[in-house]
Amino acid sequence: SVVLLNIIFGIIIDTFAQLREKRNRELAQLNERCFICDLEKKDFERVKGGGWVEHISAHHSIFSYLYFILYIQQKPSTRCNGIEKIVKEHVKNKDVSFFPIGKALDLQTPSHYEEDQVASEQAEKKE
């Protein structure tokens, strides 16, 4: 009976160790990768300004995305603007393709912003 009890305790201890290990891996991934865009923390080390902390707290805040999704879910479709309707449809279909996976504006170089601005100005002049 003592041997059986030790086997049961061993199984319980191993199970808790596996759960703790899984939790630690998940926490490490949350600390090293952006939940929204899935880019690595090291990618933001070269960014001037707030870097990683600013990215996950301002640009890709999990809570901002959650609040927006909850907001559009409770908002009647007739009152949604274009982007809200699109995201609402994606959420309804459990499609996360509206997330900016692999993209972050704070990683774009200033020259890239300038190119976009020049292109926008040229397009306005043509109109």
Side-chain angles (χ1 to χ4, degrees):
S1 110
V2 173
V3 173
L4 182 61
L5 202 54
N6 283 337
I7 291 172
I8 292 172
F9 286 143
I11 292 171
I12 291 171
I13 291 170
D14 284 346
T15 302
F16 279 117
Q18 289 172 354
L19 290 173
R20 183 175 49 249
E21 199 175 287
K22 180 181 176 189
R23 181 177 170 265
N24 288 341
R25 277 194 313 268
E26 290 170 352
L27 285 174
Q29 184 171 356
L30 275 177
N31 289 329
E32 296 298 319
R33 297 189 82 84
C34 175
F35 183 79
I36 303 299
C37 67
D38 198 39
L39 292 173
E40 293 184 9
K41 183 178 184 177
K42 67 180 177 71
D43 294 335
F44 297 91
E45 291 174 356
R46 62 181 174 87
V47 176
K48 292 181 182 176
W52 173 252
V53 173
E54 183 177 335
H55 176 74
I56 62 169
S57 62
H59 301 287
H60 284 173
S61 168
I62 295 172
F63 297 110
S64 295
Y65 277 78
L66 175 64
Y67 295 149
F68 179 69
I69 290 169
L70 292 174
Y71 168 74
I72 62 168
Q73 283 182 329
Q74 61 84 31
K75 189 174 182 179
S77 294
T78 56
R79 305 224 6 133
C80 291
N81 64 26
I83 194 73
E84 290 172 341
K85 285 181 184 177
I86 291 169
V87 173
K88 187 171 187 153
E89 190 64 30
H90 281 281
V91 170
K92 180 181 163 188
N93 296 328
K94 297 181 181 177
D95 176 10
V96 295
S97 64
F98 67 92
F99 276 77
I101 298 172
K103 301 174 188 169
L105 288 176
D106 42 341
L107 287 182
Q108 291 182 346
T109 60
S111 63
H112 186 81
Y113 287 124
E114 292 168 8
E115 290 170 10
D116 287 347
Q117 186 175 8
V118 168
S120 296
E121 290 171 0
Q122 288 175 349
E124 288 174 5
K125 288 180 184 178
K126 287 181 182 179
E127 294 175 358

